[in-house]
């Protein structure tokens, strides 16, 4: 699949979460420059908000692809334990979510509208980042069925 090959190629540049974060920031910066140079007056009035649309769409699309393929298309490989077997998709989804939430926090900084009326979106992204970090850096969610402790962790 195209998204899987893209994510595999990002791993050559460092940890998957960091390269996905860098990719989204690069797309944001490119969109920001395009809006500042060639956007309408309305878009130029809030370039950070306008530049946020494409990276957010890409982040949602990648995470949706990983979730759907992990749940429906890539079941446990033959010969693996369906309960305690390692699930590569869990590691990949959590890494992408760490990078995405870091991007969202950085994108909130220059744009008051992205922060929410009382900063509630900053709080939301902080909590989601915390959950993603816990899921990525602890092995509990890298297995098919994390609720059963059978000595695999």
């Amino acid at each position: 699949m195209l998204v899987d090959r893209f994510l595999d190629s990002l791993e050559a540049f460092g940890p998957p979460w960091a390269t996905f974060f860098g990719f989204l920031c690069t797309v944001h910066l490119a969109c920001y420059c395009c809006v500042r140079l060639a956007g309408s007056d309305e878009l130029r009035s809030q370039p950070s908000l306008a530049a946020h649309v494409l990276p957010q769409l890409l982040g949602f699309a990648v995470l949706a692809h990983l979730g759907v393929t992990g749940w429906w298309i890539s079941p446990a490989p033959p010969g693996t334990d369906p309960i305690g077997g390692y699930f590569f998709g869990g590691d990949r989804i959590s890494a992408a979510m760490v990078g995405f939430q870091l991007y969202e926090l950085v994108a909130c900084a220059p744009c008051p509208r992205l922060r929410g009326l009382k900063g509630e979106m900053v709080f939301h992204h902080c909590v989601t980042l915390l959950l993603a970090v816990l899921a990525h850096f602890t092995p509990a969610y890298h297995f098919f069925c994390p609720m059963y402790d059978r000595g695999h962790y």
Side-chain angles (χ1 to χ4, degrees), residues 27-52 110:
V27 171
H28 183 96
L29 183 61
C31 291
Y32 184 87
C33 291
C34 288
V35 167
R36 294 288 290 184
L37 294 173
S40 67
D41 290 338
E42 185 178 349
L43 288 177
R44 275 192 236 146
S45 68
Q46 293 185 342
S48 294
L49 182 62
H52 181 253

Side-chain angles (χ1 to χ4, degrees), residues 81-93:
D81 181 5
I83 300 295
Y86 175 75
F87 175 57
F88 180 69
D91 186 26
R92 188 172 251 185
I93 291 168

Side-chain angles (χ1 to χ4, degrees), residues 3-4 6-7 10-11 15-24 55-56 58-67 88-104 128-129 132-133 135-137 142:
V3 173
D4 293 321
F6 168 71
L7 291 173
L10 286 180
E11 291 176 7
W17 63 267
T19 52
F20 192 56
F21 168 68
F23 170 74
L24 293 174
Q56 186 179 38
L58 291 173
F60 283 154
V62 166
L63 287 163
H65 168 76
L66 292 174
F88 180 69
D91 186 26
R92 188 172 251 185
I93 291 168
S94 60
M97 183 57 83
V98 169
F100 183 64
Q101 291 305 322
L102 281 172
Y103 162 74
E104 289 289 334
T128 308
L129 176 62
V133 165
H136 183 62
F137 292 104
H142 299 176

Side-chain angles (χ1 to χ4, degrees), residues 49 104 107-125:
L49 182 62
E104 289 289 334
C108 284
C111 186
R113 187 153 177 205
L114 291 177
R115 292 192 295 264
L117 293 174
K118 296 182 180 179
E120 65 271 9
M121 293 311 294
V122 174
F123 178 74
H124 159 79
H125 293 304

